[in-house]
Amino acid sequence: MWAGRIAQLSDWRDVVRPRRVAGIHERGRTILGEAGLGKSSLVRRIAGTAAASGDWVTPQLRIPSGADPLKRVAEALLQLADRAGLPSARERKIAEIIGRVEAVAAAGLSLSLRRQDGPEPYTALTALLIEIGRAAVARGDVVALIHIDEMQNITDDHALSQLLVALGDALTHDEAVTAPGGAEFHRALPIAVYLTGLSEFADMAGARKGATFARRFQTTTLGPIEDEDLTVALQEFVSNGWEVADRRGGVSRIVMEPAAVEAIVGLCCGEPFLFQLAGERAWYAGTGDVITAEHVFIGWEGARGEAEAHVERILSRLPTREREFVEAMAELDQEERTLTRIADAMGHRRASDAGPTSQRLDSTRGIIRRGRPYSFRHRAVEAYLTSAWPEVVQ
């Protein structure tokens, strides 16, 4: 179900991949947003599309809290190198590079602490990425795609810096090639990098890499999906239904009445996680061939606690001033949600005192939208703070 994410899917198909295959530089992509907005699922979809077309793709490299990201990435790059046929290459240089990356995969960042006279781990990763890119050029019409998830969990400054530099250096590498006829020119390698994580990673990367990170990675902060997009996506369910196996060894179809679509869209507030939750519970609420609005509401009763906890987790992660801002904003009528009124409700003497907080909630977290008046982009947060949601009010 990819309603509302057409821009990101088209970006891979129409921009990132064709430019990289053609040897034209294109920045890596950073997809950020609050929990439940489908960041990881979106990039898994892109990676699945790439793999189906023959590209070389790493698995989703989830970085647990406290883990060494260099080890995890090194292991994945060794798998890509194997796919590219590099271990069988006879060049001594490639064998040395693979050996260095194998050492990084075994020791991670601690390698640089033990071998003060040797190269830093990031140089080994960069070198192997470049060799993988060269192999992709030789193969033709192939892109090596790396997806690293949960980037906000990389709290070690040195590990994050080395990882971003290794990826960025590979993305900006210029390779000298000779065209038919003997003319020499430079091209980028067919390497694509996707980073996904929570919104605060933008601050982490910006503070530690500054303009370098911005030049090498293009950041998108996902927001909720529009109701119209979800309604259109579910229309297939209404008109044609969904095939399932019946108990007689045949196939039947489950259909959804329009009122059920309206109920699901209204309850999920545009969030993919809540959309999935509402749909799943509605599916199992009945036993017939038609999902009704009543099934949606019955199923949601069992999901209310999970939906409430989901929004509470988002709010609990906000720093004190940011949470105070959204709570003060929620207390005001929609037409009164100006920066001056919100700042006054927070106890500030000047509206400008709340300016940086509003900017972060808009551009970094994607929870509000600054304007005249201010409004909520994250509609589940708004519903939780301003209404009886997730309680069903029919």
Side-chain angles (χ1 to χ4, degrees), residues 243-253:
E243 280 193 356
V244 296
D246 62 24
R247 297 180 180 178
R248 300 180 298 276
V251 174
S252 63
R253 286 183 177 271

Side-chain angles (χ1 to χ4, degrees), residues 113 120 153 206 224 264 364 367:
L113 303 179
E120 294 280 353
N153 287 337
I264 287 176
T364 301
I367 290 179

Side-chain angles (χ1 to χ4, degrees), residues 174-292:
D174 277 318
E175 184 75 2
V177 295
T178 302
E184 187 175 275
F185 65 98
H186 289 81
R187 58 157 296 155
L189 295 174
I191 297 171
V193 178
Y194 279 82
L195 311 177
T196 51
L198 297 178
S199 303
E200 51 262 36
F201 176 68
D203 288 338
M204 296 166 57
R208 297 171 192 179
K209 294 307 300 172
T212 300
F213 176 76
R215 286 197 304 269
R216 295 179 173 187
F217 291 88
Q218 175 180 307
T219 298
T220 297
T221 300
L222 293 184
I225 298 172
E226 295 297 327
D227 288 351
E228 182 179 357
D229 289 330
L230 293 176
T231 301
V232 170
L234 286 177
Q235 184 57 38
E236 182 71 16
F237 217 163
V238 174
S239 56
N240 295 321
W242 191 268
E243 280 193 356
V244 296
D246 62 24
R247 297 180 180 178
R248 300 180 298 276
V251 174
S252 63
R253 286 183 177 271
I254 307 297
V255 298
M256 181 177 289
E257 66 176 23
V261 172
E262 183 179 351
I264 287 176
V265 172
L267 288 170
C268 76
C269 301
E271 284 211 52
F273 169 73
L274 296 176
F275 175 83
Q276 178 185 4
L277 183 64
E280 176 189 30
R281 297 304 178 91
W283 178 276
Y284 291 113
T287 57
D289 293 337
V290 179
I291 296 176
T292 67

